[in-house]
Amino acid sequence: MSSSVEEFRTEFRSWLRAHLTGEFAGLRGRGGPGREHEAFAERLAWERHMAAAGWTCVGWPKEYGGRGATLEQQVACHEEYALADAPARVGHLGEQLLGPTLMAFGTPEQRERYLPRIVAVEELWCQGYSEPDAGSDLANVRTRAELDDAADEWVVTGQKIWTSLAHASDWCFVVARTEPGSTRHHGLSYLLVPLDQPGVEIRPITQLTGTSEFNEVFFDGARTAAGNIVGAPGEGWQVAMATLGFERGVSTLGQQVGFRRELESLIELAKRNGAARDPLIRDRIARAWTGLEIIRGNALRMLDGVAAGAPGPEASIGKIFWATWHRELGELAMDVCGADGMTAAGAPYDLDDWQRLFLFSRADTIYAGSNEIQRNIIAERVLGLPKEVRP
Ligand SMILES: Cc1cc2nc3c(=O)[nH]c(=O)nc-3n(C[C@H](O)[C@H](O)[C@H](O)COP(=O)(O)OP(=O)(O)OC[C@H]3O[C@@H](n4cnc5c(N)ncnc54)[C@H](O)[C@@H]3O)c2cc1C
């Protein structure tokens, strides 16, 4: 890595060391999948503190409030953040998904209105794609929006589901059908909808972990300004797919540092409680370690694709691999814990980190495209197999 990457890394590491102290010291390790409820307000304050020092959106161009960091610098940033055990981010959906989408497809007015507030963590965003009958088959979206010419507003009606962090968000980027009678990916639009209004109801869904990170979101005549459409009316599919590309791209690159930390503490536990003497457990731990090396290798290959403009098939390969690896780590953790893993510390849901990992990692192979869907992508786009038959 070039010295500028190392300088960047050192600068961020020093900043984290100096600032993850005092009122923020207790935030180490807080939040994240299955634990988003933890210290949310404090994590928001921390993230605004980072923003004030210019450490949010570092990969964005300087003209949009970022640091114009190179990919290598962004990876270094993700790694240092994880190594510092800094709290899980709360503004990541705006920073990693909507921001890049607006830079690619938004109007100058939209960029000016929304990007600075994402950088400053003043507005939080959620992703309104999935519906009860439109998950893997996203083109089946039924939420509809029509233009009220008199008011110069879109009127949105329909239901979204599994909307992560909607209960804590100010805005939602919504895929909605704006051409009546259209089907599949035609006639969809990508709208920016404010959530704090009478036409929006957000109902949290309780997960296996006992926590509620995602929600049902009901739009019943919800309104948003006519100008809050990204891309042309009816051409939202292209915009929505681009957002998913960002989701499967650079944003996942820092995660193996967190995975390594989990594996290392599991190894410590296995040594402490004697599970490491079991030959089958030892075998699985060694396999987990090897798997992590493969994840890292694949992530580095993916970087080449991202640098060339698009993540490419490595993103699908990587998604299947890390999601399955992490789910298996949860299963391994339960076997290392033995009988202790079977009871919660308190009723009904006072879970320890291993139990939470086991339960939440079941979701890894579903969100951001399930394993089956990733395999379809590889089959069709990489291997050139015939397209799957649709009913
Ligand atoms: C933790 C978590 C957070 C999420 N956050 C968000 C969010 O913020 N915003 C949002 O919009 N969505 C979110 N989702 C939803 C997620 O995108 C969907 O769950 C996912 O796309 C799968 O859709 P589905 O749940 O409707 O399952 P379905 O699409 O009904 O799939 C059910 C099963 O059938 C399989 N399957 C479906 N189609 C095929 C096929 N063609 N070939 C082979 N197998 C197939 C799937 O792989 C799966 O195993 C989240 C999900 C989770 C678990």
Side-chain angles (χ1 to χ4, degrees):
M1 284 203 179
S2 74
S3 66
S4 79
V5 176
E6 284 315 308
E7 279 165 21
F8 197 82
R9 182 188 285 284
T10 310
E11 188 186 347
F12 190 41
R13 183 186 300 165
S14 312
W15 187 86
L16 286 169
R17 198 172 289 151
H19 289 262
L20 206 46
T21 53
E23 59 176 314
F24 298 124
L27 292 180
R28 284 178 196 271
R30 308 299 298 279
R35 306 164 51 181
E36 291 293 0
H37 60 291
E38 287 179 358
F40 195 88
E42 293 83 352
R43 283 159 54 215
L44 180 60
W46 159 250
E47 211 153 302
R48 288 182 175 157
H49 186 71
M50 284 177 63
W55 287 114
T56 55
C57 305
V58 293
W60 291 15
K62 288 185 179 158
E63 62 176 306
Y64 298 131
R67 288 187 177 230
T70 63
L71 276 177
E72 287 92 339
Q73 288 173 328
Q74 291 176 56
V75 174
C77 235
H78 282 296
E79 288 180 346
E80 288 306 318
Y81 196 79
L83 285 169
D85 206 15
R89 301 286 305 271
V90 297
H92 53 290
L93 292 167
E95 174 167 336
Q96 293 168 355
L97 300 189
L98 183 69
T101 306
L102 288 181
M103 285 177 226
F105 295 93
T107 61
E109 293 74 24
Q110 289 168 346
R111 293 179 192 154
E112 195 180 326
R113 160 65 184 80
Y114 294 109
L115 296 182
R117 290 172 172 88
I118 294 175
V119 175
V121 206
E122 279 169 14
E123 288 176 344
L124 300 181
W125 286 83
C126 60
Q127 179 178 24
Y129 280 24
S130 304
E131 299 183 2
D133 289 318
S136 303
D137 188 15
L138 183 60
N140 203 31
V141 158
R142 294 203 181 136
T143 293
R144 58 182 201 281
E146 55 189 341
L147 207 50
D148 175 349
D149 287 321
D152 206 23
E153 288 175 335
W154 292 100
V155 183
V156 186
T157 302
Q159 183 196 346
K160 296 292 174 181
I161 194 166
W162 319 125
T163 321
S164 298
L165 295 174
H167 58 286
S169 298
D170 306 288
W171 288 80
C172 184
F173 43 97
V174 174
V175 178
R177 200 162 287 288
T178 47
E179 288 176 13
S182 63
T183 56
R184 309 299 304 161
H185 52 279
H186 304 287
L188 298 170
S189 296
Y190 192 104
L191 301 175
L192 311 176
V193 182
L195 292 176
D196 186 12
Q197 57 167 310
V200 176
E201 188 189 345
I202 297 170
R203 293 188 202 153
I205 301 171
T206 305
Q207 303 155 184
L208 272 178
T209 45
T211 51
S212 298
E213 265 120 14
F214 51 33
N215 305 267
E216 293 177 289
V217 180
F218 296 89
F219 297 102
D220 184 8
R223 289 183 170 259
T224 192
N228 277 334
I229 179 168
V230 185
E235 291 179 14
W237 183 255
Q238 187 198 357
V239 185
M241 290 303 105
T243 305
L244 289 184
F246 297 125
E247 183 174 24
R248 290 173 195 158
V250 74
S251 61
T252 54
L253 286 171
Q255 80 189 155
Q256 64 286 62
V257 177
F259 287 175
R260 193 170 296 277
R261 181 191 301 280
E262 284 175 341
L263 178 58
E264 280 167 2
S265 20
L266 190 61
I267 293 171
E268 279 310 307
L269 174 64
K271 286 183 191 162
R272 252 194 341 268
N273 76 2
R277 285 197 291 274
D278 178 334
L280 291 179
I281 297 272
R282 293 163 71 89
D283 183 80
R284 285 163 69 195
I285 289 177
R287 271 198 236 181
W289 187 87
T290 316
L292 199 50
E293 293 301 306
I294 296 172
I295 291 174
R296 180 161 179 80
N298 196 66
L300 291 173
R301 275 202 309 168
M302 189 173 76
L303 259 187
D304 286 341
V306 174
E314 292 83 7
S316 287
I317 300 167
K319 171 73 200 340
I320 294 177
F321 205 84
W322 74 250
T324 308
W325 181 91
H326 202 224
R327 195 180 61 185
E328 286 172 1
L329 187 75
E331 291 163 6
L332 175 58
M334 285 300 92
D335 290 336
V336 168
C337 290
D340 285 351
M342 288 191 237
T343 48
Y349 266 117
D350 190 3
L351 305 179
D352 65 24
D353 287 349
W354 299 120
Q355 292 166 328
R356 210 178 280 112
L357 168 70
F358 170 63
L359 292 174
F360 197 89
S361 58
R362 316 307 294 176
D364 289 338
T365 52
I366 301 173
Y367 66 81
S370 68
N371 274 12
E372 290 76 17
I373 294 304
Q374 304 295 349
R375 285 193 199 100
N376 278 348
I377 292 172
I378 294 169
E380 292 177 11
R381 296 191 208 157
V382 182
L383 303 177
L385 300 185
K387 282 196 179 295
E388 76 170 314
V389 180
R390 290 202 176 273

